[in-house]
Amino acid sequence: MRQLFLLSAALTIANPALCADQVQPVASSDVYAYELDTVEDWPRTVKTEADIAALRKAVFRAGDSLTVTAPDGTTSTTAKTADSMESLPINAGGLWTFSNPRQKGTVSFTVRHSIYGTLGDGTEVSPAKLMDSEELSDLIENGVAGDGYFFRLDSDSLIAALQLPSGYCLTESANGLFRMNESEDGCRYVCADVGYPIDAKLSGSGRRIYQQDVLPVAYSGDSWRRDPAKTSTLTIVDPDGVENDPYELAGTGVKSIPFNKLGVWRLRLDMENGKFCEATVNICKKFFSVIIR
């Protein structure tokens, strides 16, 4: 590039007729407009038939292939023998994933069931199937959903982002269902009574507990925001200084650990979001004594 530039400069100096304002282009083309989508949030939300029609066609080169994962989990792959532009084969509500292994590209879309008449009736027998955070709010606005409306969420993480207009609250029902009710006191979410133990004897991350009273270890990949796709690694060092094989975990839950030695155990939880938690647990033996006088 540097040699070509110097040669061009030399020719221009040697022949003023070759100045830039006098040189005619070798070829010219029409003006083309293009769009660049830099939004990285996936999956994208498809709400209406118009949204599907507005999706840009996928571009393929000869030798590429398209792998389609449909909402029911079935996967199909088609090879492309020539350069082409094709519409994505979306024909049902649910989560669609498309990938081109050769180009190392993957995209996904949440498609509302209302487009294809498979939303559900909103009853306990036929609950609605919601795909995105705005869908319930849109159903209320359109007069489809209201007090007593039953629905199921596409993913566990959707409950945190779900938009719920004021005046309503959610009640968790059986079999993973939610029921929408009118709220008189401003409460947004109601759940069943849950009993849980907590060790509050010490203020720090160090705990002392009897061997027969040990509780499972809680874990999360995203600081307990409950995204089931986030992963974490639980590393445990026993009282002898031996590090056990790390536990590779996904989502949020508890893990039973066989604390089979007395003494101080060290635990570390590394989360996918870059954060970590550390704690020590002193496993003690409860003694039984009888005093005779």
Side-chain angles (χ1 to χ4, degrees), residues 211 238-240 242 258-265 283:
Q211 192 171 21
D238 69 17
D240 296 331
V242 178
F259 292 102
N260 51 12
K261 295 181 181 179
L262 301 179
V264 178
W265 294 69
I283 304 298

Side-chain angles (χ1 to χ4, degrees), residues 3 14 25 56 91 111 130 139 160 207 212 235 241 250 265 275 283:
Q3 292 174 343
R56 299 182 182 90
N91 57 13
V111 181
L130 305 189
L139 290 172
R207 292 288 184 265
Q212 59 268 43
T235 305
W265 294 69
K275 298 181 179 180
I283 304 298

